[in-house]
Amino acid sequence: MNAWRNNEIGAFINADDKLKQNSGMAKPKGSKRAFGNILECKNAFKILTVEDDSDHTDNDKQETVGEEPNRKDSGTQMIEGKPELPQNNHNDPQNNMNLDRESQIVIIGDSIIKHIIPKKISSRNVTKITFPGKTVDEISNKLDQIKLKSTPSHIIIHAGTNNLPVDTAETCAEKVGQLASKLKTKFPTSRIGISSIVTREDCDLTDKIRKTNSLIAQTCLNQDYGFINNENIDRTTLNGSKIHLNAKGSAYLAVNFIKFIREAIKRPPKQEQGKETVEFISDLTNIPWQTVFRTSDPNLSWNKWKELFIGTLDKHAPVRHIRSGKHTTPWMTAEIRSAMRRRDYHKKKAIKLKSDSHWHNYKSLRNKVNKLIRETKSTFYINKISECAETKDLKKCWSTINSLLGKQNKSNYISELKVGENVITDPNLIAEHFNTHFINIGVYPDGNDTPNECGENLDFSDTNIHSQTNNKFNFSLIKVDSVLCNLKHLKANKSTGLDAIPAKILKLAAHIIAPSLTYIFNLSLQSGIYVNDWKRARVIPIFKSEDKSKCENYRPISILSIVSKVFEKEVFRQVYTYVNESNLLSKYQSGFRPQHSTLSALIKICDEILNNMDEGKINCIVFLDIRKAFDSINHNILLSKMRSNFGISGNELLWFESYLTNREQQ
């Protein structure tokens, strides 16, 4: 086999050379040479063993396994179920599963990773531990025997292929997650990466592999593990056995490992908890949270919870007012600054002394600075856009584009406001006028300012015959684990509401506060009362276009309590599941639905237009844009439709009524 080099990484595999190095090993008749122990395949499916890239032999044939020769490469170690040790120590049982060198990166897996060369993965110490033919359970049982002198920075897991023939996709993914959890417990500071299961063609497991990988990816998302996607490994990367990877496939796998390691290195390391954080967590743990559970009024429970939490927070992290720093240029480097200082020095000297040599040096440095700035800015923009393309997060993409275009640097400060023929400059009067304007945005189309009177005695039950159901919606109790998961996945930079409780603190204390918050959430659902504090919003006017001195050209952004957003997410999940299962939403609705967007609506319209053109029909489209549509929704009509069309009544309807009414803004 010829060596295959990957142009991007330079990771190459040459299985034939490895076999030649083992020329001293005896090879029994009727068997194939590999690395490891003698294994016999007995079940109906092929158990993974390490083979060369020649044709695969029958299952019931034994395979002779020998140890790979001792490498002299510094910084890498290769292990087959046990570490590679010096020749004179092979018979020493005390050395079994003990690494005699410090390891920074560890790769653990079945024989799929056999042809990965550690020194091609990273310039740092890399240890590879392979368990040929082993299931996830068997690998997990051997973890206690692995002893490292220091905690590795990265651990890559590639396992589960041998579980697929006998386990369901759910069971296989769960076992892989448990293996990762066990490694995380053993090495808490290590960055864990789980490699997706690669394709195999010895049996039809394509759908199961796809489902297992999807579940593994979800586990990685929930537990903050890295997910290594191996979609680039297809049938063309398999050897004759249709199970193992050929040289090309192994190189692809190595590239995927390298990408994970590089991304993990770019990712800022989690800072160790300081003394203040430890004391804060300790004080929170000792708070008598049981007092929150002693009342049946969600408002009283929340007030008590907030008093306990904020009291502890103010003790360890009091609010401080600081001046924000001036805007910095993100692409500026120390090299550019140094060149600019030398350029300015020579320019000053040239003007003062009228020196030709200084003018020459100035021009030379000026050209150098301009070239450096162009190259650095270009590299910075390319890296930023590449990061956006990899994340596939549209919100982050637009945020990055706006920051690169300088749109996020515009000031929202409002110095004056026109009210009729008068100009207001007093900040208090400006805020009051904005408040009045935003309150009156939601005047109903009939001109009635009183929502309680608008829509009374009207029957809306027949307005949409496709959105009626005999089912009844009932709230289910929210689980602590679900609240804990939502708290842990809060964005740390999320804006803080009027309760002054930051997302970062809620995320830090998630495991302590989740039970008490879950109690308040369930109490609110059972009583039909939405907490009054969560109805208060901090409103910020955001300029849209045209004249900045007119309040009509601003739109309000309401910032609510972060705790209320966690609660709303739980309620949304229940309601959305109900309306989907009851088929109450139009299949053409693209707004406010997961996995739907303006793109899905556009595809539908374009498809209809093209079909009509093929049939010789004339297309006519009416675009309707209702001004302030969301703010003009009549809550009484909405509640009436929820009752008559969507099967929401009783205590559930009371809760939504409490949620929609008596809201305040500041």
Side-chain angles (χ1 to χ4, degrees):
M1 180 199 306
N2 295 324
W4 182 85
R5 287 185 179 271
N6 181 279
N7 292 331
E8 179 184 0
I9 306 300
F12 68 90
I13 313 297
N14 194 331
D16 289 344
D17 289 345
K18 292 182 180 179
L19 295 176
K20 292 174 183 178
Q21 290 174 2
N22 260 335
S23 57
M25 300 297 301
K27 180 178 179 182
K29 185 176 180 180
S31 66
K32 303 180 72 174
R33 186 180 295 280
F35 308 109
N37 298 314
I38 297 177
L39 300 174
E40 184 176 357
C41 303
K42 291 185 178 180
N43 66 17
F45 297 94
K46 299 181 178 72
I47 294 295
L48 285 178
T49 56
V50 183
E51 304 172 329
D52 58 10
D53 290 341
S54 58
D55 294 336
H56 184 64
T57 56
D58 296 335
N59 287 349
D60 56 354
K61 291 185 178 181
Q62 291 184 340
E63 298 182 357
T64 303
V65 185
E67 291 182 344
E68 183 164 317
N70 210 13
R71 286 184 175 270
K72 296 182 180 180
D73 301 329
S74 61
T76 64
Q77 300 180 51
M78 302 185 67
I79 303 173
E80 303 271 335
K82 61 181 181 179
E84 182 184 80
L85 299 172
Q87 294 293 331
N88 56 356
N89 288 338
H90 279 181
N91 298 324
D92 186 355
Q94 294 183 355
N95 283 329
N96 189 36
M97 303 307 290
N98 287 273
L99 303 183
D100 57 345
R101 296 189 60 188
E102 182 178 333
S103 176
Q104 291 186 347
I105 298 172
V106 174
I107 304 174
I108 299 175
D110 49 38
S111 53
I112 288 291
I113 67 172
K114 171 62 186 178
H115 294 310
I116 298 292
I117 300 178
K119 70 176 182 180
K120 297 296 182 182
I121 296 295
S122 175
S123 59
R124 298 186 293 170
N125 290 351
V126 179
T127 298
K128 184 180 73 174
I129 308 175
T130 58
F131 296 92
K134 302 298 183 183
T135 63
V136 178
D137 300 325
E138 293 170 326
I139 295 174
S140 181
N141 292 335
K142 291 183 176 291
L143 288 184
D144 294 334
Q145 303 175 34
I146 301 175
K147 296 179 182 179
L148 304 174
K149 286 189 175 181
S150 63
T151 301
S153 59
H154 305 78
I155 299 177
I156 297 176
I157 304 169
H158 186 95
T161 313
N162 292 318
N163 291 72
L164 285 175
V166 292
D167 290 339
T168 63
E170 292 79 5
T171 303
C172 183
E174 182 181 358
K175 289 180 178 180
V176 173
Q178 290 172 353
L179 174 62
S181 179
K182 189 172 182 180
L183 281 167
K184 189 65 176 177
T185 304
K186 187 179 180 70
F187 306 107
T189 60
S190 300
R191 174 67 173 153
I192 303 292
I194 303 179
S195 175
S196 64
I197 299 174
V198 299
T199 185
R200 55 186 290 179
E201 292 199 339
D202 60 317
C203 50
D204 187 14
L205 295 173
T206 305
D207 292 337
K208 186 184 282 190
I209 291 174
R210 187 182 297 111
K211 186 176 181 180
T212 304
N213 287 336
S214 176
L215 294 171
I216 291 174
Q218 187 61 42
T219 300
C220 292
L221 180 64
N222 293 337
Q223 302 298 328
D224 196 27
Y225 300 146
F227 178 68
I228 302 173
N229 195 339
N230 296 317
E231 287 184 349
N232 56 342
I233 298 177
D234 55 21
R235 58 189 300 177
T236 63
T237 62
L238 300 177
N239 65 5
S241 68
K242 301 301 181 183
I243 308 176
H244 296 89
L245 300 178
N246 56 25
K248 178 180 177 181
S250 297
Y252 277 156
L253 187 63
V255 169
N256 297 338
F257 288 176
I258 293 168
K259 286 181 179 179
F260 161 72
I261 294 169
R262 287 183 175 178
E263 289 173 0
I265 292 173
K266 289 180 183 178
R267 178 177 172 170
K270 292 185 177 179
Q271 296 181 355
E272 294 185 6
Q273 293 184 354
K275 181 180 178 182
E276 297 81 2
T277 305
V278 173
E279 291 177 353
F280 171 66
I281 296 296
S282 177
D283 285 355
L284 274 184
T285 306
N286 295 328
I287 284 179
W289 293 108
Q290 61 272 15
T291 57
V292 176
F293 298 79
R294 292 175 182 170
T295 176
S296 57
D297 186 340
N299 282 299
L300 295 178
S301 289
W302 167 250
N303 290 336
K304 186 62 179 177
W305 187 95
K306 188 170 66 169
E307 177 187 345
L308 295 171
F309 187 84
I310 293 183
T312 307
L313 180 60
D314 288 341
K315 175 183 174 183
H316 295 278
V319 178
R320 294 178 182 174
H321 297 280
I322 59 173
R323 285 183 177 272
S324 58
K326 63 180 181 180
H327 176 68
T328 58
T329 307
W331 45 263
M332 183 63 71
T333 64
E335 184 183 5
I336 295 176
R337 289 193 183 95
S338 177
M340 290 173 72
R341 282 194 296 268
R342 287 185 284 118
R343 176 201 63 186
D344 296 341
Y345 168 79
H346 285 289
K347 182 180 181 181
K348 184 178 179 180
K349 288 291 185 181
I351 295 173
K352 184 176 180 179
L353 303 176
K354 297 182 181 180
S355 169
D356 292 339
S357 62
H358 281 295
W359 273 116
H360 176 76
N361 291 335
Y362 160 71
K363 291 178 181 179
S364 176
L365 286 167
R366 179 194 60 189
N367 295 337
K368 179 181 179 181
V369 168
N370 292 339
K371 182 180 179 181
L372 279 173
I373 289 175
R374 283 196 303 270
E375 292 176 350
T376 308
K377 286 177 71 173
S378 176
T379 303
F380 175 77
Y381 291 150
I382 290 172
N383 291 340
K384 279 290 183 181
I385 294 172
S386 299
E387 288 175 8
C388 290
E390 290 177 3
T391 58
K392 298 180 181 179
D393 186 344
L394 288 178
K395 185 175 181 180
K396 185 177 179 181
C397 287
W398 279 112
S399 177
T400 302
I401 292 171
N402 288 333
S403 65
L404 295 178
L405 295 176
K407 290 186 177 181
Q408 292 183 341
N409 300 330
K410 295 181 179 179
S411 173
N412 287 323
Y413 178 72
I414 304 169
S415 58
E416 62 179 33
L417 202 65
K418 290 181 181 179
V419 182
E421 296 181 356
N422 300 323
V423 177
I424 300 174
T425 57
D426 182 41
N428 293 327
L429 292 177
I430 292 175
E432 192 65 34
H433 189 75
F434 267 118
N435 184 55
T436 303
H437 172 70
F438 290 147
I439 288 175
N440 293 323
I441 283 178
V443 175
Y444 298 101
D446 61 356
N448 195 327
D449 292 341
T450 309
N452 291 330
E453 297 177 1
C454 182
E456 282 190 356
N457 303 321
L458 295 178
D459 183 14
F460 300 97
S461 58
D462 296 328
T463 55
N464 189 348
I465 59 174
H466 299 291
S467 297
Q468 292 182 342
T469 180
N470 294 323
N471 298 333
K472 186 179 184 301
F473 172 72
N474 293 302
F475 282 127
S476 58
L477 291 179
I478 298 171
K479 297 181 179 179
V480 176
D481 290 343
S482 182
V483 175
L484 178 61
C485 182
N486 287 333
L487 288 171
K488 282 185 173 181
H489 287 86
L490 284 173
K491 294 182 179 178
N493 59 350
K494 202 171 184 67
S495 299
T496 304
L498 292 174
D499 57 12
I501 302 177
K504 186 176 182 179
I505 302 298
L506 291 173
K507 194 172 183 178
L508 180 67
H511 61 288
I512 300 173
I513 62 177
S516 54
L517 285 178
T518 305
Y519 172 78
I520 298 173
F521 295 165
N522 287 327
L523 188 59
S524 173
L525 297 179
Q526 292 170 345
S527 62
I529 299 173
Y530 191 73
V531 175
N532 292 330
D533 260 7
W534 299 342
K535 299 180 186 181
R536 300 188 179 101
R538 179 164 61 93
V539 177
I540 299 176
I542 302 296
F543 175 68
K544 295 187 295 183
S545 60
E546 298 181 6
D547 191 353
K548 277 192 173 185
S549 62
K550 292 183 179 181
C551 58
E552 293 84 3
N553 297 325
Y554 290 82
R555 61 186 176 91
I557 298 294
S558 297
I559 300 175
L560 297 166
S561 166
I562 297 174
V563 174
S564 72
K565 304 299 288 184
V566 174
F567 186 24
E568 288 176 7
K569 192 170 184 179
E570 290 293 333
V571 174
F572 170 80
R573 180 180 55 79
Q574 294 189 27
V575 174
Y576 187 72
T577 301
Y578 166 74
V579 296
N580 259 350
E581 292 176 350
S582 302
N583 198 26
L584 294 174
L585 293 179
S586 169
K587 63 180 180 180
Y588 302 116
Q589 178 177 335
S590 295
F592 309 103
R593 299 182 69 180
Q595 299 179 346
H596 290 72
S597 65
T598 53
L599 183 60
S600 55
L602 187 61
I603 290 172
K604 174 67 175 63
I605 292 175
C606 291
D607 186 58
E608 282 199 15
I609 291 174
L610 292 173
N611 286 336
N612 291 338
M613 291 173 64
D614 291 340
E615 295 174 7
K617 297 179 180 179
I618 298 175
N619 290 291
C620 181
I621 303 175
V622 177
F623 293 97
L624 182 63
D625 184 12
I626 301 176
R627 185 172 180 269
K628 310 295 183 184
F630 183 81
D631 298 309
S632 301
I633 294 175
N634 187 306
H635 292 164
N636 273 341
I637 296 177
L638 177 62
L639 292 170
S640 176
K641 289 181 72 69
M642 291 174 70
R643 180 178 61 252
S644 58
N645 291 42
F646 289 84
I648 300 176
S649 59
N651 188 68
E652 285 71 18
L653 190 65
L654 288 176
W655 186 90
F656 282 106
E657 185 176 3
S658 174
Y659 175 82
L660 292 170
T661 56
N662 299 322
R663 287 192 166 264
E664 300 176 5
Q665 66 183 34
Q666 177 178 317

